[in-house]
Amino acid sequence: MIVAMNSVDILVLGAGWTSTFLLPLLQRSSITYAATTTNGRDSTIPFNFDPSSSNPEQYARLPNARTILVTFPLKGPHQSTHLTSLYRQIHGNDNRWIQLGSTGIFEAPHWNDENSPYNTENQRAVAEDELLGLGGCVLNLAGLYGGARNPKAWLTRVAKSKEDVNAKKALHLIHGVDVARAIVAVHQHFTPGKRWLLTDLHVYDWWDLMDSWGKGVGEGDGETNTEAGKHLQYQKWVGELMFEGKVRALPRGPEELGRVLDGRGFWGAMNIWPAMGSVIGNV
């Protein structure tokens, strides 16, 4: 008979970037936890989800947990059921599941919130819907930043010409600190069968950010590739596009930015608010 390990409050399946913010918060909050990686690095438990395997052996290495956080993407039908059922064969059914997802599934070209229609054929959304049907909770996250992830460094990847700049509209972000706080909030006030959309409550205009951050591109600011950015003239291009598009001031309003996200629902339901504020003050 396979015997499970001791119990913890939260089990993190996949201790990656999110865990650099989450684990310190759990320690400060006196919330017990265990975490996995594929190779067991940094005193984690080795675990590698294989949707084609029904062998429960590696699940016995995992502790009983009140809340299980899945940080890696599950895709398509059956994977959520497969993961939860194998874990529950060993540890029983008294556990809650949180899946981290992406706001990219919300595609309407206007305001979207957690109750808006989304792309139900997206393979990640299919797996998330399956988990919701099992009583889990899904946190669809906006663009992640903090620590090694600096949005300034994204400029040369997302826009290499004036035409590219012209096509850029809204950007939505959330800092790792607030992702961690959101996970703890759901652990403490679980919402079964609920999909949440998480942002830092800001809608950023790419033109505004490029105008603010573009000066350092190509000047060796330590965050952008100097050679790649040498011929990128973001401030000039944004100024010209403002005249061409009759944009009087930056940032442009939501009505000009196309697909925009309303992240108020989660924070209001949990009665907490993002701690990190605007990206402008954090990079």
Side-chain angles (χ1 to χ4, degrees):
M1 178 180 179
I2 300 174
V3 179
M5 293 174 57
N6 293 330
S7 298
V8 295
D9 295 319
I10 295 182
L11 171 61
V12 181
L13 296 181
W17 178 85
T18 299
S19 293
T20 63
F21 300 94
L22 176 61
L23 302 189
L25 177 59
L26 297 180
Q27 292 170 357
R28 294 194 301 271
S29 305
S30 299
I31 297 173
T32 60
Y33 67 89
T36 75
T37 57
T38 56
N39 59 9
R41 67 182 182 273
D42 299 327
S43 301
T44 58
I45 302 167
F47 177 83
N48 189 12
F49 174 61
D50 181 356
S52 67
S53 172
S54 295
N55 185 347
E57 182 177 351
Q58 69 169 340
Y59 293 83
R61 293 198 295 264
L62 304 176
N64 290 322
R66 181 64 177 134
T67 301
I68 298 96
L69 172 71
V70 185
T71 69
F72 52 82
L74 301 175
K75 297 181 179 179
H78 312 308
Q79 289 197 6
S80 293
T81 298
H82 190 71
L83 176 61
T84 57
S85 63
L86 284 174
Y87 181 86
R88 286 172 169 172
Q89 281 181 33
I90 307 295
H91 302 282
N93 297 329
D94 187 19
N95 40 67
R96 302 94 54 90
W97 293 73
I98 303 171
Q99 169 74 64
L100 300 187
S102 166
T103 55
I105 65 172
F106 294 94
E107 300 176 344
H110 45 68
W111 282 107
N112 295 262
D113 62 21
E114 70 274 7
N115 298 311
S116 297
Y118 55 91
N119 182 359
T120 56
E121 296 181 359
N122 178 286
Q123 289 300 290
R124 292 183 67 171
V126 170
E128 292 166 4
D129 284 342
E130 186 171 282
L131 187 69
L132 293 173
L134 296 168
C137 176
V138 173
L139 302 180
N140 290 119
L141 308 177
L144 301 172
Y145 82 101
R149 295 189 178 186
N150 187 339
K152 281 186 179 181
W154 304 345
L155 292 190
T156 57
R157 295 201 296 270
V158 303
K160 301 181 184 299
S161 68
K162 181 178 175 180
E163 290 71 25
D164 291 341
V165 173
N166 189 36
K168 301 305 290 182
K169 294 187 177 181
L171 174 67
H172 304 89
L173 297 169
I174 185 165
H175 196 283
V177 165
D178 286 317
V179 174
R181 294 174 65 245
I183 292 166
V184 170
V186 175
H187 168 67
Q188 295 173 333
H189 307 284
F190 194 73
T191 52
K194 180 63 178 177
R195 179 189 296 281
W196 294 109
L197 182 157
L198 264 70
T199 75
D200 62 6
L201 299 180
H202 292 265
V203 175
Y204 300 102
D205 176 1
W206 264 116
W207 288 11
D208 191 34
L209 297 178
M210 289 174 177
D211 183 63
S212 298
W213 296 339
K215 184 175 185 296
V217 174
E219 296 180 2
D221 60 2
E223 298 294 343
T224 52
N225 184 305
T226 302
E227 190 61 33
K230 185 160 42 177
H231 303 295
L232 301 177
Q233 304 177 69
Y234 291 117
Q235 292 177 318
K236 176 176 183 290
W237 292 339
V238 167
E240 292 174 351
L241 289 167
M242 289 177 69
F243 271 103
E244 294 166 13
K246 297 181 172 57
V247 175
R248 292 186 172 184
L250 297 176
R252 293 170 290 178
E255 67 282 353
E256 299 177 81
L257 294 175
R259 171 186 171 274
V260 286
L261 304 179
D262 175 357
R264 295 173 297 168
F266 173 81
W267 302 108
M270 296 294 160
N271 197 30
I272 59 173
W273 303 99
M276 295 304 291
S278 168
V279 68
I280 299 297
N282 294 320
V283 298

